[in-house]
Amino acid sequence: MEGSVGYDNDLNLKATELRLGLPGTEPVSIVRSNKRSLQQVADDDCGVNGCKSDDQNETAPPPPKAQIVGWPPIRSYRKNNIQTKKNESEGGGIYVKVSMDGAPYLRKIDLKVYSGYPELLQAIENMFKFTIGEYSEREGYKGSDYAPTYEDKDGDWMLVGDVPWEMFITSCKRLRIMKGSEARGLGCGV
Amino acid sequence: MQKKMAYSFPDEILEHVFSFIQSGKDRDAASVVCKSWYEIERWCRRKIFVGNCYAVSPTMVIRRFPDIRSIELKGKPHFADFNLVPDGWGGYVLPWISEMAGAYPWLEEIRLKRMVVTDESLELVAKSFTNLQVLVLFSCEGFSTDGLAAIASSCKNLRELDLRDSEVDDLSGHWLNHFPDTYTSLVSLNISCLGSDDVSFSALERLVGRCPNLRRLLLNREVPLDKIANLLSRAPQLIEFGTGTYAAELRSDVYSNLAEAFCNCKELKSLSGFWDAVPAYLPVIYSVCSRLTSLNLSYAPIQNPDLTKLVSQCPSLQRMLVLDYIEDSGLEVLASSCKDLQELRVFPSDPFGEEPNVSLTEKGLVAVSSGCPKLQSVLYFCRQMSNAALVTIAQNCPNFTRFRLCLLDPKIADYRTLQPLDVGFGAIVEHCKDLRRLSLSGLLTDRVFEYIGMHAKKLEMLSVAFAGESDLALHHVLSGCESLRKLEIMNCPFGDKALLANAAKLETMRSLWMSSCSVSLGACKMLGQKMPRLNIEVMDEKGPPDSRAESDPVDKLYIYRSVAGPRFDMPPFVWTMDEDFASELS
């Protein structure tokens, strides 16, 4: 039941065309895709294992429809209830809370939107308007009073970046930007 | 002679008369009759409802009403429920609690909706209001079980604690232990939103066991099925019960204990919970079914025929919440069994799936509209609709007060004629003269808005998404809907003209939300300059509005009337278009 069938049959629809976007602008802003398309994934594989993209393109199904923010109007706890039953569900984001010591409010982010640690950390820096230091495996985050940490499935607080990204997004329950000595404590070797 | 008579009417008598006037609206009306009535009324008002916490300041409320015992506050705009309002937007309750702590030591009831409530606020509540009896935190966030522990340990007169749909930082289930052993006044407890694995079950059992007046108990998902029987046996006087997870291996002892426990709850009228429900355990509630007036299965992945079989056993249902697993066939059974049905909500089990996973269409809703003459309130998610169906529904149910239809593909046309759904929704507003709340979806032109402006005279809340073609649509609504209080719009091609032409209307409404529309920054600034009693808030996470052209559309716009002026607690991504802002930039 594609809605587009209805108005594609009419003539001269430019004037009344409904688009997902503001008139006069490219319709990008409000449509947000949580998943990388299968083609993109195939392309990523190209460098390591040789180009598989041609094969992948032929057999891969079309990428899932991009989700519109706020539609359908279902509250997050309902969405979470549906998602819990499926594992890698389409459209299911991995929402975690992000808190920062000293900030009066929490933020919530969808980990699936980011492709790796640099993107995630950049987003958090923007969100709370501060800078995270330089990461090194041995010394944690240096150069700032803050360190990004997360609580994993076992309830332990870990430094963000210590485990591979894929492992991180499946085990992260919440994020906390620690400040001061607590932060330094976590960072100092293991 | 006359003048003397007016002043000789004692205040105490008036106050006594006013004590019979409970409705806020009626009290407001009484308070503007004359100055002396205003004075008397304000001293004896005990209950206040603030629909937008930024419309007035706590200082102003306290100054006018010195002795309030019950307050209800609402914070964030409704679309915050669907992630359209970024975290940190506002709605903090702390300033209210801080001021009321000193002014209203006898406060008994606090009801909050969509507000940010911190542990600090809860600790202050616990410390300041020793007579607190009711605490309702509806869709709130920002607090943890530590805050709840403070409430539990201090509020000796607490009757009702309701955390419905709130986001709670679940640090530990031990907060329940903070209710002292001497505490026995609990009447209503809703902890369904709590997520902790560590529910202190023994504390819960003891609490339930020592509160003989407990009538309403809604558990969270973590409470296992085999613990329910024990709980119910300690509270057979329950009227409303929400289970935890409703799945377990089928064991005959658990099964029979459950069946017996439910059977002994002779006053049980409302059931909910049923997370992860498995059909095997459904029959344990059969003994209760005939009495049930409210049933919420919207978290239960039960499918037909088990689902329909259950529903067919509940002839007294007035309120039914269910997933679309019920399908058209199940709704037809509902229509023939439940003649007292007043409210129906059908939620999607797979909202993001490309293809329908169940056979739920407009036919189910038509069946219910035809079979249930008392139907008043509908929330229905489905994938197809026709004008003919909507017209039939409208004719069947002229008593609708709330009608919300959500088509999963937001711009889908009438599947039979490929026409827009204007005529169908037009029929709804034309036939349902008492309609107070309406949500539209599907392919809709300006015409539907013309119908709404013409007919929906009692409409108070309208939600619109992906609809309309021009400003004319918005103009029809703003100029025609006399009772409109809340208007929320997303992704519609509405711009400046209708808004500016109907600026005065905005002062008669609580609020207007517009996101992903075409309202320009310039228009917002103009509104800010011309309408000092409106707060015009522009939200943009990409950067400050002064970095753009006047003609650039704003991302999100929230306009609300206020006597408190612009707020001071805005996050970096919200700008107010008050007079200062406009003049600073020009």
Side-chain angles (χ1 to χ4, degrees), chain A residues 1-7 9 15-16 18-23 25 29-30 63-65 67-86 90-92 95 97 104-108 129 173-174, chain B residues 81-84 86-88 92 138-139 165 167-169 171 221 275-276 298-299 347-352 354 381 384 406-413 415 418 441 443 465-466 468-469 490-491 493 516-518 541 553 572-573:
Chain A
M1 294 299 149
E2 286 297 321
S4 54
V5 172
Y7 45 77
N9 287 340
T16 58
L18 300 176
R19 293 185 295 137
L20 295 181
L22 305 166
T25 65
S29 46
I30 46 119
K65 202 153 119 186
Q67 263 181 66
I68 303 160
V69 180
W71 197 268
I74 304 176
R75 297 163 111 206
S76 357
Y77 65 82
R78 266 192 198 285
K79 275 196 251 195
N80 291 341
N81 267 304
I82 300 166
Q83 306 316 352
T84 319
K85 276 282 146 191
K86 310 179 184 184
E90 270 175 25
Y95 290 92
K97 285 192 201 172
Y105 50 84
L106 299 176
R107 298 295 296 250
K108 241 190 336 232
K129 307 266 180 285
K173 270 174 48 182
R174 75 174 113 190
Chain B
D81 286 355
F82 315 127
N83 295 327
L84 283 168
D87 278 2
Y92 306 104
F138 187 171
S139 290
D165 302 349
E167 263 183 53
V168 185
D169 227 356
L171 301 179
R221 193 178 191 164
W275 281 282
D276 321 305
S298 63
Y299 298 107
F347 295 97
S349 54
D350 186 17
F352 303 112
E354 295 280 325
F381 285 81
Q384 70 184 40
C406 178
L407 296 167
L408 291 175
D409 180 348
K411 291 190 293 177
I412 197 166
Y415 77 100
L418 303 183
S441 62
L443 183 65
F466 301 100
E469 305 154 292
M490 56 178 269
N491 301 76
S516 304
C517 296
S518 315
E541 284 185 286
F573 53 84

Side-chain angles (χ1 to χ4, degrees), chain A residues 164-183:
Chain A
W165 174 255
E166 289 302 327
M167 195 187 302
F168 165 72
I169 59 174
T170 51
S171 61
C172 172
K173 270 174 48 182
R174 75 174 113 190
L175 285 159
R176 178 180 157 202
I177 317 294
M178 281 190 196
K179 191 177 172 169
S181 52
E182 241 188 311

Side-chain angles (χ1 to χ4, degrees), chain B residues 101-160:
Chain B
Y104 299 147
W106 308 119
L107 196 62
E108 294 168 1
E109 304 182 351
I110 299 174
R111 292 181 173 86
L112 306 175
K113 186 170 183 181
R114 280 190 215 102
M115 294 199 76
V116 176
V117 181
T118 56
D119 285 346
E120 188 188 346
S121 307
L122 288 177
E123 281 152 22
L124 191 52
V125 167
K127 200 171 67 169
S128 319
F129 307 119
T130 50
N131 201 28
L132 192 70
Q133 295 170 27
V134 172
L135 181 61
V136 176
L137 304 175
F138 187 171
S139 290
C140 295
E141 55 160 350
F143 61 102
S144 77
T145 43
D146 286 353
L148 295 177
I151 298 287
S153 49
S154 306
C155 299
K156 308 196 180 348
N157 295 312
L158 196 67
R159 284 187 341 248
E160 183 177 338

